[in-house]
Amino acid sequence: MDFTLNDEQRQLQQLARDFARREIIPIAAEYDQKEDLPWQVVEKAFEVGLLNPSIPEHAGGLGLGMFDECLIGEELAYGCMGIYTVLMASELGIAPILIGGTEEQQARFLGPLTEKAGLAAFALSEPGNGSDAAGMATMARDDGDAWILNGTKMWISNGGVAEFNVVFATTDKAGGHRATVALVVPKDAPGFSHNKIKHKMGQRASLTSELVFEDVRVPKENQLGGLGDGFKIAMKTLDKTRIPVAAGSVGIARRAMEESIKYAKEREAFGKPITEFQAIQFKLAEMAMGIETGRLMYQKAAWLVDQGKPHGFESAIAKAYCSEMAFSAANEGIQVHGGYGYVGEYPVEKLLRDVKLNMIYEGTNEIQRVVIARNLLK
């Protein structure tokens, strides 16, 4: 076992760390308040090589693995989880094409993302259907050389601004998994529209949308895999992409700890810095324990992905543990800051609002426990 990052990984980590401090942290509060996606950050991330790094080399990309992607993710989420979600959700949209697409499809859909700043989106959840992914109502009707798509998707990160959306639909509501398809729908497809979801609790710098498909014609050459492969592609995607959520959660927890240490050194009570009180020391120690163990778990899961080994069990543990650990760290960070932590003068209240979503998207933590238990019992 070797926990040493190689030179390239250290450089990548430092690049992302510098990017977060230079480009993300200074604007994070502003875009949280405006509930707006900072497109200039997307463009700058593209310029330095931090946007869509998993695109394979044959499609013109860097072809970075999951471990490297997570090193980037921890650093960017330290700056702002909402802004990181914009970039992470693009990788979520790319993943089904890497899993279920042919090399020709990968080059056709992903190649343009290497030429200019652009995003992808993953459209699985629906207004009445989240965790029960197999019960989707969005319909795809066979029309010869195309599918006719009708339905609504909900809670879609990057929805509407993404260059394409990987949309999961059913050809027969009574057909179960065997009737599902995965279709790549470009943003300018006739009949496709989106509505921005406003007034989110946190991660307000990311765009979350409702997607509406009204007789959208999707050529069959845009279908990933065969009939019945849609659900399988979606689940394999989420098994992988839960890991960057875990990495981002560790970044949030680290930010909460460092902000708490900084504040506690400056704040005095009873004539001395509050760092001298054991109650504060214990909170900081708990944060450090969670960060170190969470990082090891997401790195193990990411390593398994890169080795081509089964990883669903480990990714579920990483996602559930790290997001809950980070929520606790942000909550305790507010406690360390006292009344100041409850208002926007310090960043810790935003950390708590942002990290709550990490416990919900890409499979709720209740679903992660189902995945873990099934692995134990099978």
Side-chain angles (χ1 to χ4, degrees), residues 24-88:
I24 295 178
I25 290 176
I27 65 165
E30 174 191 352
Y31 281 84
D32 174 69
Q33 293 166 8
K34 293 197 306 187
E35 297 192 44
D36 196 15
L37 187 159
W39 188 255
Q40 73 274 20
V41 174
V42 177
E43 292 178 329
K44 291 174 181 176
F46 173 78
E47 291 172 6
V48 300
L50 294 176
L51 181 64
N52 303 325
S54 70
I55 295 177
E57 292 181 4
H58 72 77
L62 296 175
L64 295 188
M66 180 58 69
F67 192 95
D68 292 343
E69 186 182 330
C70 287
L71 287 180
I72 294 171
E74 180 182 334
E75 299 304 326
L76 298 184
Y78 178 98
C80 174
M81 189 66 211
I83 294 175
Y84 170 49
T85 286
V86 176
L87 310 183
M88 180 179 68

Side-chain angles (χ1 to χ4, degrees), residues 326-348:
F327 184 87
S328 177
N331 191 40
E332 291 288 31
I334 291 175
Q335 200 71 17
V336 170
H337 283 71
Y340 288 106
Y342 195 69
V343 296
E345 183 176 348
Y346 291 86
V348 285

